[in-house]
Amino acid sequence: MLPLFYHEIYTSAISPHARFPRDRYRLVYEEIQSRTIENPDLHIELRESFEAHRSDILLVHSEGYTDAFLDGKLTDQEIRRIGFRPWTPEFVERTLTITGGSIQAMRTALEGSMVAGNLAGGTHHAFADHGEGFCVFNDLAICARIAQRDYGIKKIAIIDCDVHQGNGTASIFADDRDILTFSIHGEKNYPFRKEKSDFDIELPNDTDDDTYFAALKKTLPQALYSFQPELIFYQAGCDPLKEDTLGKLALSRQGLDKRNQLVFQHVSYWNCPLVVFMGGGYADPIQASVICHADVFEEAAALKATVSSTY
Ligand SMILES: [Zn+2]
């Protein structure tokens, strides 16, 4: 069974008036649920997320920023930079629950499951001292620090395939040789001032399936081989999809499937535990993104079946 973490607050705590497709979390959950009912060979176990602790957040984020957010004391400008306006009273709880879901997925993967995921998260635009681009706390970075502290893991590769550069993650780990930051993203897309990841693969607008796949195939093996990961995080954003309103690339559903397969082949090769973070997806209507997010987790379940039978 592939454990996937979810909570209804992922959707319910975003205001219906926010310019954000809040229903995508619930819809991905429902899509996965219905696929498991239709396909008895799809072994996925949906579990409920719990809130992360303040001490988890402080492994990565400054005390000033963390407490200002938790206490509802961010300035208007800081809130605007994050997005999600208008805010709701449950927004702090939601942020902690998403971070907690990622931490639970990471712990579950390392405690024997090998593969696990969160039906949200991959909040890669969050920096140590501020949030932006719909990201408050950087769950990828927090999970990396907890894996190092609690599980004796040293080297963690973060493979970020969201169409937007993982600028927060790159900044947090800029001087850290034990965390590999690999980001394949749109060159002419947000964030317009990019940070420096260990590997930045920049793609022009309207990049198609073949060009994307060739770029990933050329760079990912080299990045992983020179690094030798012990644990892999996959930020599996589906916003490179042609229908995405914030993506600017032109991948098809099949192109995203090929991308996922390539990443998962490398996970198998390195025999590493894997944590899958959902990332962005903003098609309008949202259903095209929902299908692609569900595909990621369905393929992760297939990967889990192969690693379980091997180990
Ligand atoms: Zn994105």
Side-chain angles (χ1 to χ4, degrees):
M1 286 284 198
L2 172 72
L4 294 179
F5 290 84
Y6 171 79
H7 195 291
E8 63 180 13
I9 201 171
Y10 290 3
T11 284
S12 64
I14 299 175
S15 164
H17 306 294
R19 284 176 54 189
F20 187 88
R22 71 198 279 267
D23 290 324
R24 68 192 194 107
Y25 304 97
R26 178 179 57 77
L27 293 170
V28 170
Y29 172 81
E30 289 171 1
E31 173 72 19
I32 289 173
Q33 214 173 24
S34 79
R35 288 191 194 186
T36 56
I37 292 165
E38 280 163 24
N39 177 5
D41 295 327
L42 179 57
H43 299 299
I44 287 178
E45 185 188 348
L46 292 157
R47 299 191 193 170
E48 193 167 79
S49 307
F50 299 103
E51 288 184 33
H53 300 292
R54 176 177 174 274
S55 58
D56 299 327
I57 310 297
L58 291 177
L59 291 170
V60 168
H61 294 281
S62 68
E63 206 162 6
Y65 171 59
T66 303
D67 288 337
F69 173 75
L70 296 178
D71 298 340
K73 290 184 176 150
L74 291 184
T75 65
D76 272 358
Q77 194 187 356
E78 287 173 308
I79 290 173
R80 232 188 338 265
R81 202 166 178 187
I82 292 169
F84 287 125
R85 297 170 80 219
W87 281 33
T88 63
E90 301 81 27
F91 194 75
V92 168
E93 199 185 324
R94 174 188 191 266
T95 301
L96 290 174
T97 307
I98 286 181
T99 309
S102 295
I103 294 169
Q104 285 166 270
M106 181 273 298
R107 289 193 186 280
T108 307
L110 286 176
E111 289 171 13
S113 157
M114 287 297 281
V115 186
N118 188 10
L119 298 188
T123 43
H124 58 169
H125 300 311
F127 289 67
D129 63 354
H130 74 271
E132 60 179 65
F134 305 128
C135 301
V136 179
F137 296 138
N138 194 311
D139 59 344
L140 299 149
I142 292 166
C143 285
R145 289 299 182 227
I146 295 176
Q148 290 179 321
R149 184 193 62 188
D150 293 353
Y151 298 90
I153 301 262
K154 188 168 177 235
K155 305 191 77 176
I156 302 160
I158 301 174
I159 303 172
D160 189 336
C161 293
D162 191 281
V163 82
H164 305 103
Q165 192 211 24
N167 56 341
T169 319
S171 156
I172 289 165
F173 295 124
D175 301 318
D176 192 328
R177 297 175 68 87
D178 290 332
I179 310 285
L180 176 80
T181 52
F182 178 97
S183 181
I184 179 164
H185 52 261
E187 180 190 6
K188 298 248 164 27
N189 202 338
Y190 173 89
F192 296 103
R193 188 179 154 265
K194 307 240 184 327
E195 300 291 324
K196 196 170 174 347
S197 315
D198 296 316
F199 289 81
D200 283 302
I201 317 305
E202 307 219 295
L203 301 168
N205 288 354
D206 302 315
T207 293
D208 64 9
D209 289 349
D210 291 345
T211 311
Y212 186 99
F213 189 76
L216 188 61
K217 199 174 172 195
K218 186 170 162 213
T219 50
L220 185 60
Q222 176 202 346
L224 291 174
Y225 191 77
S226 59
F227 180 72
Q228 311 260 323
E230 296 167 61
L231 169 64
I232 293 177
F233 293 168
Y234 180 31
Q235 209 282 19
C238 289
D239 43 14
L241 187 71
K242 183 168 62 233
E243 289 85 356
D244 199 278
T245 57
L246 303 176
K248 299 186 182 178
L249 301 191
L251 270 68
S252 67
R253 179 183 178 186
Q254 291 71 27
L256 286 175
D257 282 346
K258 273 186 80 176
R259 174 197 78 170
N260 301 332
Q261 299 293 350
L262 183 65
V263 171
F264 293 160
Q265 277 168 21
H266 284 285
V267 173
S268 286
Y269 175 80
W270 288 100
N271 185 20
C272 280
L274 168 74
V275 187
V276 182
F277 301 74
M278 189 165 106
Y282 313 98
D284 185 13
I286 194 65
Q287 194 56 24
S289 302
V290 169
I291 300 281
C292 292
H293 285 304
D295 289 346
V296 170
F297 294 106
E298 184 170 342
E299 288 156 25
L303 171 76
K304 159 106 177 73
T306 66
V307 293
S308 301
S309 60
T310 318
Y311 306 102

